[in-house]
Amino acid sequence: MTCATTGGVKIGPIEVWPPVVLAPMAGITNAPFRVLCREQGAGLFVCEMITTRGLVERNPKTMRMIRFDESERPRSIQLYGVDPVTVGRAARMIAEEDLADHIDLNFGCPVPKVTRRGGGSALPYKRNLLRRILREAVANAGPLPVTMKMRKGIDDDHLTYLDAGRIAVEEGVAAIALHARTAKQHYGGVADWEAIARLKEAVPEIPVLGNGDIWSADDALRMVARTGCDGVVVGRGCLGRPWLFKDLENAFNGSPERAQPTLGEVAEAMARHAEGLTACFDIERYAVADFRKHVGWYLKGFTVGSELRRELATAESLDGLRAGLAKLEHDQPWPPNTDTPRGKSGERSKVLLPDGWLDDPWDCPIPDGDAESDISGG
């Protein structure tokens, strides 16, 4: 593998430069948002998580979620699954039907409706189940590289990432991404970058990508320098801020230039985002309603009155949204001190798990079908 700071990160046959991956985020990383990010800077841009069950059953909503824009290459799909056979069927379907060029497996989702059924960040505790899933995915993916994203473990008393990393190498996984928090931490606290360094030392055979607390391009450079990881995965830091990928490309290429769009340029991106969602969802009112959650992220740090913010956050049509955007002070410069946390945060008091889940880390129970009942996976 080539050093990330000189020649990109290789994920199977795919070389990624700069070594930057857009983290899959439910309800966020659909095609319109991915296109906006990709226009700013290069990298690997992964679609929002889908369940293997929804895919193999050709659930209409799932099939819409894996649509890619014509400009998207390589195409990356993240799968969430708990049954090795179903995961294998999904991987084979993606390969045989040319649905994507890369498959990522999610073992990092910390939300209670997933972990309480043994999925997401709870699953790697069952080492043999993890091994079976990875084996089926790699065996059925054909030429497509299979990667995995995970957390440190369930909590500080039940860390799994080093064992999971070695299992991944043994089963032919092409790269690993580590969100350096436990499931109990959820999105709170501080990411443990030292864990990323320990994982890299444990699995030198394949690329390790670090995730957690990258709010600026300089954070990404610090993570690589401190941990020795081969690249970074960016999630909440790009919410309402697709131009972070321009900063990241500049940073990894050694340029100090950073994007500082005016409020007018931000407004233009907001309009394009909402228009893209409308084309994607086909129903304007639904698309604009879906866009509302992005408004606060786009406007973070700018001086915008509460009434106008409310107007933008409650718009019901593209015309209504455009009318509100026209009222913004378009010459207002990019605000300072915006490289700070975005999106959800906070720790959990405990991680919900199936009864007896922690009794034996080596048994291999397959969670029931309800573990994939929500096709978004959380």
Side-chain angles (χ1 to χ4, degrees), residues 14 21 53 87 144 154 207 268 275 281 283 291 321 348:
I14 301 170
V21 177
R53 178 177 164 187
V87 172
L144 304 185
I154 292 172
E268 182 181 350
E275 290 160 1
F281 296 148
I283 302 174
F291 176 75
L321 180 65
R348 301 287 185 182

PDB file of all heavy atoms in Angstrom, residues 14 21 53 87 144 154 207 268 275 281 283 291 321 348:
ATOM      1  N   ILE A  14      -9.018   0.422  -6.325  1.00  0.00           N
ATOM      2  CA  ILE A  14      -9.394   1.838  -6.340  1.00  0.00           C
ATOM      3  C   ILE A  14      -8.347   2.650  -5.593  1.00  0.00           C
ATOM      4  O   ILE A  14      -8.074   2.401  -4.415  1.00  0.00           O
ATOM      5  CB  ILE A  14     -10.777   2.043  -5.683  1.00  0.00           C
ATOM      6  CG1 ILE A  14     -11.846   1.242  -6.419  1.00  0.00           C
ATOM      7  CG2 ILE A  14     -11.138   3.530  -5.660  1.00  0.00           C
ATOM      8  CD1 ILE A  14     -13.190   1.213  -5.691  1.00  0.00           C
ATOM      9  N   VAL A  21     -12.630  10.043   2.721  1.00  0.00           N
ATOM     10  CA  VAL A  21     -13.880   9.327   2.475  1.00  0.00           C
ATOM     11  C   VAL A  21     -15.017  10.081   3.155  1.00  0.00           C
ATOM     12  O   VAL A  21     -14.895  10.485   4.317  1.00  0.00           O
ATOM     13  CB  VAL A  21     -13.812   7.885   3.012  1.00  0.00           C
ATOM     14  CG1 VAL A  21     -15.141   7.170   2.805  1.00  0.00           C
ATOM     15  CG2 VAL A  21     -12.680   7.112   2.332  1.00  0.00           C
ATOM     16  N   ARG A  53     -31.065  -6.934   3.774  1.00  0.00           N
ATOM     17  CA  ARG A  53     -32.399  -7.511   3.575  1.00  0.00           C
ATOM     18  C   ARG A  53     -33.226  -6.660   2.617  1.00  0.00           C
ATOM     19  O   ARG A  53     -33.878  -7.174   1.705  1.00  0.00           O
ATOM     20  CB  ARG A  53     -33.100  -7.629   4.928  1.00  0.00           C
ATOM     21  CG  ARG A  53     -34.518  -8.168   4.862  1.00  0.00           C
ATOM     22  CD  ARG A  53     -35.070  -8.304   6.271  1.00  0.00           C
ATOM     23  NE  ARG A  53     -36.517  -8.445   6.286  1.00  0.00           N
ATOM     24  CZ  ARG A  53     -37.258  -8.448   7.388  1.00  0.00           C
ATOM     25  NH1 ARG A  53     -36.674  -8.332   8.565  1.00  0.00           N
ATOM     26  NH2 ARG A  53     -38.566  -8.580   7.323  1.00  0.00           N
ATOM     27  N   VAL A  87     -26.059 -11.201   3.821  1.00  0.00           N
ATOM     28  CA  VAL A  87     -24.971 -10.299   3.432  1.00  0.00           C
ATOM     29  C   VAL A  87     -24.299 -10.806   2.165  1.00  0.00           C
ATOM     30  O   VAL A  87     -24.010 -10.037   1.235  1.00  0.00           O
ATOM     31  CB  VAL A  87     -23.948 -10.147   4.575  1.00  0.00           C
ATOM     32  CG1 VAL A  87     -22.724  -9.367   4.097  1.00  0.00           C
ATOM     33  CG2 VAL A  87     -24.587  -9.424   5.771  1.00  0.00           C
ATOM     34  N   LEU A 144     -15.000  -6.790  -6.533  1.00  0.00           N
ATOM     35  CA  LEU A 144     -15.241  -5.544  -5.801  1.00  0.00           C
ATOM     36  C   LEU A 144     -14.547  -5.579  -4.442  1.00  0.00           C
ATOM     37  O   LEU A 144     -14.659  -6.579  -3.703  1.00  0.00           O
ATOM     38  CB  LEU A 144     -16.739  -5.312  -5.588  1.00  0.00           C
ATOM     39  CG  LEU A 144     -17.634  -5.299  -6.824  1.00  0.00           C
ATOM     40  CD1 LEU A 144     -19.055  -4.925  -6.422  1.00  0.00           C
ATOM     41  CD2 LEU A 144     -17.102  -4.345  -7.876  1.00  0.00           C
ATOM     42  N   ILE A 154     -18.166  -1.809  22.438  1.00  0.00           N
ATOM     43  CA  ILE A 154     -19.449  -1.477  23.050  1.00  0.00           C
ATOM     44  C   ILE A 154     -19.265  -0.394  24.117  1.00  0.00           C
ATOM     45  O   ILE A 154     -19.998   0.589  24.156  1.00  0.00           O
ATOM     46  CB  ILE A 154     -20.083  -2.747  23.645  1.00  0.00           C
ATOM     47  CG1 ILE A 154     -20.487  -3.689  22.498  1.00  0.00           C
ATOM     48  CG2 ILE A 154     -21.292  -2.393  24.508  1.00  0.00           C
ATOM     49  CD1 ILE A 154     -20.949  -5.051  22.946  1.00  0.00           C
ATOM     50  N   PRO A 207      -4.961  -0.762   4.575  1.00  0.00           N
ATOM     51  CA  PRO A 207      -5.165   0.628   4.991  1.00  0.00           C
ATOM     52  C   PRO A 207      -6.103   0.746   6.189  1.00  0.00           C
ATOM     53  O   PRO A 207      -7.098   0.014   6.287  1.00  0.00           O
ATOM     54  CB  PRO A 207      -5.783   1.285   3.754  1.00  0.00           C
ATOM     55  CG  PRO A 207      -5.389   0.411   2.616  1.00  0.00           C
ATOM     56  CD  PRO A 207      -5.354  -0.976   3.175  1.00  0.00           C
ATOM     57  N   GLU A 268     -26.510  29.942  -2.594  1.00  0.00           N
ATOM     58  CA  GLU A 268     -26.562  29.267  -3.888  1.00  0.00           C
ATOM     59  C   GLU A 268     -26.438  27.759  -3.721  1.00  0.00           C
ATOM     60  O   GLU A 268     -27.150  26.975  -4.369  1.00  0.00           O
ATOM     61  CB  GLU A 268     -25.444  29.788  -4.791  1.00  0.00           C
ATOM     62  CG  GLU A 268     -25.441  29.176  -6.185  1.00  0.00           C
ATOM     63  CD  GLU A 268     -24.304  29.704  -7.047  1.00  0.00           C
ATOM     64  OE1 GLU A 268     -23.644  30.678  -6.642  1.00  0.00           O
ATOM     65  OE2 GLU A 268     -24.072  29.131  -8.123  1.00  0.00           O
ATOM     66  N   GLU A 275     -32.853  21.725  -4.828  1.00  0.00           N
ATOM     67  CA  GLU A 275     -33.277  21.367  -6.184  1.00  0.00           C
ATOM     68  C   GLU A 275     -32.856  19.936  -6.521  1.00  0.00           C
ATOM     69  O   GLU A 275     -33.606  19.185  -7.155  1.00  0.00           O
ATOM     70  CB  GLU A 275     -32.678  22.350  -7.189  1.00  0.00           C
ATOM     71  CG  GLU A 275     -33.286  23.751  -7.090  1.00  0.00           C
ATOM     72  CD  GLU A 275     -32.410  24.830  -7.713  1.00  0.00           C
ATOM     73  OE1 GLU A 275     -31.323  24.484  -8.248  1.00  0.00           O
ATOM     74  OE2 GLU A 275     -32.794  26.014  -7.649  1.00  0.00           O
ATOM     75  N   PHE A 281     -36.116  12.880  -5.303  1.00  0.00           N
ATOM     76  CA  PHE A 281     -37.302  12.330  -4.655  1.00  0.00           C
ATOM     77  C   PHE A 281     -38.566  12.433  -5.501  1.00  0.00           C
ATOM     78  O   PHE A 281     -39.554  11.776  -5.221  1.00  0.00           O
ATOM     79  CB  PHE A 281     -37.556  13.042  -3.314  1.00  0.00           C
ATOM     80  CG  PHE A 281     -36.475  12.832  -2.301  1.00  0.00           C
ATOM     81  CD1 PHE A 281     -36.177  13.813  -1.375  1.00  0.00           C
ATOM     82  CD2 PHE A 281     -35.747  11.653  -2.263  1.00  0.00           C
ATOM     83  CE1 PHE A 281     -35.174  13.626  -0.418  1.00  0.00           C
ATOM     84  CE2 PHE A 281     -34.749  11.459  -1.317  1.00  0.00           C
ATOM     85  CZ  PHE A 281     -34.468  12.445  -0.396  1.00  0.00           C
ATOM     86  N   ILE A 283     -40.856  14.435  -5.559  1.00  0.00           N
ATOM     87  CA  ILE A 283     -41.966  15.147  -4.912  1.00  0.00           C
ATOM     88  C   ILE A 283     -41.392  16.385  -4.239  1.00  0.00           C
ATOM     89  O   ILE A 283     -40.652  16.280  -3.251  1.00  0.00           O
ATOM     90  CB  ILE A 283     -42.697  14.256  -3.888  1.00  0.00           C
ATOM     91  CG1 ILE A 283     -43.240  12.995  -4.576  1.00  0.00           C
ATOM     92  CG2 ILE A 283     -43.825  15.033  -3.216  1.00  0.00           C
ATOM     93  CD1 ILE A 283     -43.842  11.993  -3.609  1.00  0.00           C
ATOM     94  N   PHE A 291     -34.976  18.858   3.212  1.00  0.00           N
ATOM     95  CA  PHE A 291     -33.861  19.808   3.222  1.00  0.00           C
ATOM     96  C   PHE A 291     -33.822  20.655   4.490  1.00  0.00           C
ATOM     97  O   PHE A 291     -32.758  21.159   4.859  1.00  0.00           O
ATOM     98  CB  PHE A 291     -33.951  20.732   1.997  1.00  0.00           C
ATOM     99  CG  PHE A 291     -32.897  21.795   1.973  1.00  0.00           C
ATOM    100  CD1 PHE A 291     -31.584  21.488   1.638  1.00  0.00           C
ATOM    101  CD2 PHE A 291     -33.195  23.108   2.318  1.00  0.00           C
ATOM    102  CE1 PHE A 291     -30.599  22.458   1.642  1.00  0.00           C
ATOM    103  CE2 PHE A 291     -32.227  24.090   2.327  1.00  0.00           C
ATOM    104  CZ  PHE A 291     -30.913  23.756   1.977  1.00  0.00           C
ATOM    105  N   LEU A 321     -38.510  28.599  -0.514  1.00  0.00           N
ATOM    106  CA  LEU A 321     -37.124  28.545  -0.045  1.00  0.00           C
ATOM    107  C   LEU A 321     -36.288  29.602  -0.757  1.00  0.00           C
ATOM    108  O   LEU A 321     -35.509  30.328  -0.120  1.00  0.00           O
ATOM    109  CB  LEU A 321     -36.546  27.155  -0.292  1.00  0.00           C
ATOM    110  CG  LEU A 321     -35.090  26.949   0.142  1.00  0.00           C
ATOM    111  CD1 LEU A 321     -34.948  27.076   1.650  1.00  0.00           C
ATOM    112  CD2 LEU A 321     -34.580  25.593  -0.333  1.00  0.00           C
ATOM    113  N   ARG A 348     -24.489   7.959  25.795  1.00  0.00           N
ATOM    114  CA  ARG A 348     -25.591   7.150  26.287  1.00  0.00           C
ATOM    115  C   ARG A 348     -25.269   6.671  27.701  1.00  0.00           C
ATOM    116  O   ARG A 348     -24.100   6.447  28.042  1.00  0.00           O
ATOM    117  CB  ARG A 348     -25.798   5.920  25.390  1.00  0.00           C
ATOM    118  CG  ARG A 348     -26.097   6.257  23.936  1.00  0.00           C
ATOM    119  CD  ARG A 348     -27.494   6.798  23.775  1.00  0.00           C
ATOM    120  NE  ARG A 348     -27.808   7.013  22.362  1.00  0.00           N
ATOM    121  CZ  ARG A 348     -28.955   7.510  21.912  1.00  0.00           C
ATOM    122  NH1 ARG A 348     -29.894   7.842  22.781  1.00  0.00           N
ATOM    123  NH2 ARG A 348     -29.167   7.691  20.628  1.00  0.00           N
TER     124      ARG A 348
END
